[in-house]
Amino acid sequence: MNRKITGIIALFGVAVSLYAQNYTVSGYVRDAETGETLAGSNVYEAESGKGCFSNTYGFYTLTLPKGKGTVHWSFLGYESRTVNINPAKDTTIHIYLKPVSAELPEIIVGSAAKLKDLRLGTVEIPLPQIKNTPALLGETDLMKALQFIPGVRNTTEGKSDLSVRGGSPDQNLTLLDGVPIYNPNHVFGFLSVFNTDALKKVTLYKSSFPARFGGRLSSVVDITTKDGNKKRFSGSVSLGLPTFKLNMEGPIVKDRTSFTFSARRTYMDLLVDAANKWFIRDNSGSRANFSFYDLNAKIHHKIDDKTHVYLSAYSGNDKLNQETAGIEDNETAHNASSEKWDWGNTIVSGKLSRVFTPNLFFKGAITYNHYNFRINTDDRYENANDSTGVQQASRSFLFSSGIKDYSVSDDFEYSPASNHAVKFGTAFTFHDFNPEVISLTSKSDTLIVNDNVPQHVFSRESAFYAEDDWDISQKIRFNAGLRFSLFNVDNETYAAIDPRLSLRYLLTDKLALQAGYSLMQQYVHLLSSNSVILQTDLWVPVTGKIKPMQSSQYSAGVFYEPSKSVFLSLETYYKDMRNVIEYKDGISYTSVSAGWENKVEAGTGRACGLEFSAEKREGRITGTASYTLSKSERRFDNINFGEWFPAKYDRRHALNLLLNYKLNNKFDFTAAWTYHSGDRITLPVMTYVHPYVPDTNGFPYEPQWDGGGFNLLELDYRNNYRMADYHRLDLGMNYTFAKKKNRYSVLNLSVYNAYNRMNPYKIIMESDLDENKDYIHKLKQITLFPIIPSLSYTYHF
């Protein structure tokens, strides 16, 4: 027994002795010109071969053996730094990197990570690629830039909604500085809510999800905004076809406190209002107008080198107003109606980061998150008659839906050794769901009716996670994580344990294999209509009837880096989904006849695919090419006779090409071509007219047809028809005027759908009479966007 105790003490002593022979180098990596932290910077020590990345806050920690060493710091688009070290104890080194000032700077595309640092299913998108991808109306758009990544597609023509590996848009977790954005779209989905001038880092996760992320099935889009220039005041002003943008940042207290502020707003509504006032002199006729805005603001204060405080806010809103007024023939009766749509997000958050020890980093957050959607209609009638007097009637309808979140979280990053990066933390969110509030008020001279259907659902969501990034050897990296979650609603509690695993093996310095598995839970659902115009997003929680959605994803990949500027990848995946929901056939989102739980159907889904990508990352000519072969299906007990059918977002083939050419310091050009199989829709295989059935008061009768009746449609299966293939070419050109100190301007010319492809958005059925006066039915294709040129001007100061 004594020998065993002695042996344990000896082993412990050896471990302490070995650890005592190590020391830790830690600090922040920042931009030398602005003081902005550089998240994802590479830190590498040459002699030991050990390395790490700076975290979201720019902090790094690297444990090294005692003795002399050479540490390299690098970041994409910046000059690298090298420092020779020989410390006798833990050392803090803050590094400032200078942006590259090449004669012909490149437009970087693809993922910034090197082969040995890649994580399966993870793509970090360089900001220059986002800003140079041509888009609708010339407005740079983050979500549209993501659509050039294999496995990521738009849901329909021109929209920013994403379908990732066969999933639906509500299965994507979009985080703005760690806070979920419930509605990431403006203009009915044609633009995203993210002002690219405010962004610092964007990372997309398609599989092998880190354990710190949860709550959605298909993807995570992790977006970090700028902290602000700590050295000097700077900004930009931009005027384009749809919007006006302003971006400002600078020091409040130099090198200690900074701010950033970004604003974007449409101005076309102001022109339309002016035109209405000028051309429509009376109150008759119809008017319609639309507007949106978004605001980003952040303050960063450094209490000391170890403690930082962040206050941030976001607000974005869309409004659609329609008004109609008329006068009847007798000129004594007036009628008027109005319809107002209003939806948007509001986020306020406070964060604290603290370096407790060189090996332990902490960040905590308190956030408020509100998404709201409202429809308000008002109809009024007035008749002033000499014989009957004044008669008045009115009818008002209000439909409201939304969600409020109150959240707290804490996250720890611990590096016990250079080959281990341990992360763990907890999160709690109180949800206040408002799935549907319907208020109907009718008023006349003799009757007043009020019908209110209020509904609130409160729920509590908790999570604990732990994960370890472990470099077992120079060739093998293993990431293992576990996420435990609880969701309490309506006196029912759902619990889940989600394992996350990924493995990387380096066959050579240029060739790597990876594999991964993820189990995901989703406790909230999105009910959305399919209309191109009407925005009808209703977020609802799981209940006793509606179970949490689940997905299991298996993925693997081969990655090859033949040179510094060329990168090739081939990934495959299989994903099965449980408890996915859809609206039942014939259900209206504004129907008051049934609660939302009775409007949906739950079922299963599965998706699989193969994704290939090739990137040229450096030089005057850069670009990416990707191809995806995929299949996505759904099955519901009461839809399609319980058989599998193609999912709405099933697209068998997708091909994307993105090319950038830097001619000189003044001109750069971009071409983007996309192709995919046509969207799935449901078309009838037969229509016939059913006669009206007369009321026989219970007596037998022989049905007779007098020429009247109603159409009946016969369907063979759901989503049985694939529309024509979709393809489009977008072109862009930037002209940069001569720089004077830190001031310069950029003129952008973009052409959307350059060869004017009439791509199908939807197909409708029309009826007409032939020469024999018989009804015939025709299918008509609807196209949204022809060729659209646009121009924008941006001034930087």
Side-chain angles (χ1 to χ4, degrees), residues 464-691:
F464 169 79
Y465 73 89
E467 60 180 89
D468 183 13
D469 234 343
W470 180 19
D471 288 324
I472 299 175
S473 67
Q474 290 287 341
K475 292 182 175 292
I476 302 175
R477 168 178 286 181
F478 182 70
N479 181 280
L482 205 63
R483 183 180 182 88
F484 174 69
S485 60
L486 291 170
F487 194 90
N488 176 266
V489 61
D490 290 341
N491 297 319
E492 183 152 1
T493 300
Y494 294 97
I497 299 178
D498 299 340
R500 317 284 174 80
L501 300 171
S502 65
L503 178 69
R504 184 224 64 198
Y505 181 75
L506 286 176
L507 293 172
T508 69
D509 291 339
K510 297 182 178 181
L511 184 64
L513 303 177
Q514 296 199 44
Y517 168 77
S518 298
L519 177 64
M520 306 291 284
Q521 308 286 328
Q522 183 165 336
Y523 297 107
V524 295
H525 302 274
L526 176 65
L527 307 180
S528 183
S529 74
N530 297 326
S531 171
V532 63
I533 297 297
L534 305 181
Q535 185 83 14
T536 58
D537 289 350
L538 283 66
W539 285 97
V540 295
V542 297
T543 65
K545 294 181 180 179
I546 307 299
K547 307 298 182 183
M549 288 191 288
Q550 294 181 332
S551 74
S552 298
Q553 184 173 175
Y554 308 84
S555 54
V558 181
F559 304 87
Y560 180 53
E561 193 174 32
S563 67
K564 182 181 178 181
S565 62
V566 177
F567 183 79
L568 306 174
S569 69
L570 181 66
E571 296 184 50
T572 185
Y573 68 90
Y574 174 81
K575 178 169 60 176
D576 65 78
M577 295 164 278
R578 298 168 292 280
N579 300 323
V580 294
I581 67 171
E582 284 188 6
Y583 269 127
K584 294 179 180 178
D585 291 333
I587 291 293
S588 168
Y589 70 95
T590 58
S591 170
V592 298
S593 61
W596 60 268
E597 293 174 278
N598 298 316
K599 299 176 186 178
V600 298
E601 178 81 13
T604 58
R606 61 189 181 192
C608 59
L610 188 70
E611 301 167 355
F612 170 77
S613 177
E615 303 173 4
K616 185 179 183 299
R617 297 175 171 176
E618 298 180 357
R620 286 196 182 189
I621 299 178
T622 58
T624 65
S626 66
Y627 169 73
T628 302
L629 174 66
S630 62
K631 184 178 182 179
S632 182
E633 296 179 307
R634 299 290 186 270
R635 182 172 64 183
F636 299 86
D637 290 341
N638 298 313
I639 297 177
N640 203 55
F641 308 104
E643 300 293 331
W644 288 98
F645 61 88
K648 177 182 178 182
Y649 306 115
D650 173 59
R651 294 175 183 167
R652 194 56 43 86
H653 304 281
L655 177 64
N656 292 310
L657 302 174
L658 178 63
L659 182 68
N660 298 286
Y661 176 58
K662 185 77 175 181
L663 178 63
N664 52 40
N665 283 335
K666 292 183 179 295
F667 285 98
D668 62 78
F669 303 89
T670 303
W673 186 75
T674 183
Y675 163 88
H676 61 72
S677 302
D679 291 341
R680 286 280 189 177
I681 60 173
T682 303
L683 289 180
V685 296
M686 181 183 299
T687 65
Y688 55 91
V689 178
H690 189 286

